[in-house]
Amino acid sequence: MARPWPPLPRSGLDLAGRNACRWLEALALLHVVGGLALPFVVLYGNALDVWLPAPGDATASARFWVAAFGPTLASWGLLAWFLVRRGLREGRRWACDALIYAVLTWLPLDLALCLNFGFTPGLVADLVAALAMLPPLLWLRPRLTAH
């Protein structure tokens, strides 16, 4: 049976580098799963009701926008998975730079939004995600080729 995706490229990374890539791939796939689950959690669950207006409220459109963010999160995770799988594993520094810049673009704005709206779980999730991604990326970067 053929795989739905190509095999992993052979890279010049050592075992620690390959393990860092595995970790980053797992985080990217976690973004995909979490992003796909978010609309269901927001629309059909009550875990986030403390921060969201009640259904039928005049401001209930906030619930829609939070749910709509899920597919965006999932697509970001898929893009990150591709960059790790086809960029970092091939030893390409540009892929690492793209992921570092993406995190550094997203993190300050998302933290500011969470602070402004008092969304504590978002603050925690942002910091955990950034601390899970940035150190391995910064560790891998000098081990990758410039092209």
Side-chain angles (χ1 to χ4, degrees):
M1 183 170 136
R3 285 191 239 190
W5 57 80
L8 288 172
R10 298 207 184 275
S11 73
L13 293 174
D14 60 1
L15 179 62
R18 290 191 304 271
N19 284 338
C21 286
R22 283 186 196 103
W23 170 253
L24 290 166
E25 279 184 35
L27 288 174
L29 292 175
L30 185 63
H31 276 81
V32 173
V33 170
L36 293 175
L38 186 61
F40 298 101
V41 170
V42 170
L43 296 176
Y44 302 111
N46 58 3
L48 301 178
D49 283 354
V50 174
W51 293 278
L52 296 173
D57 220 356
T59 57
S61 65
R63 188 175 291 277
F64 165 78
W65 289 111
V66 171
F69 175 69
T72 303
L73 183 64
S75 66
W76 193 92
L78 190 59
L79 179 61
W81 178 79
F82 178 80
L83 285 172
V84 172
R85 190 161 180 94
R86 303 307 299 177
L88 294 183
R89 283 189 179 267
E90 291 178 0
R92 310 284 188 215
R93 187 178 298 158
W94 63 264
C96 190
D97 289 344
L99 287 166
I100 291 170
Y101 297 148
V103 171
L104 294 178
T105 300
W106 149 79
L107 184 62
L109 179 59
D110 207 79
L111 284 174
L113 287 169
C114 289
L115 276 171
N116 186 54
F117 290 102
F119 188 52
T120 307
L123 286 170
V124 172
D126 288 348
L127 294 173
V128 167
L131 290 174
M133 289 185 280
L134 281 176
L137 288 168
L138 294 172
W139 178 84
L140 269 172
R141 191 179 186 284
R143 293 161 175 76
L144 304 171
T145 59
H147 59 279

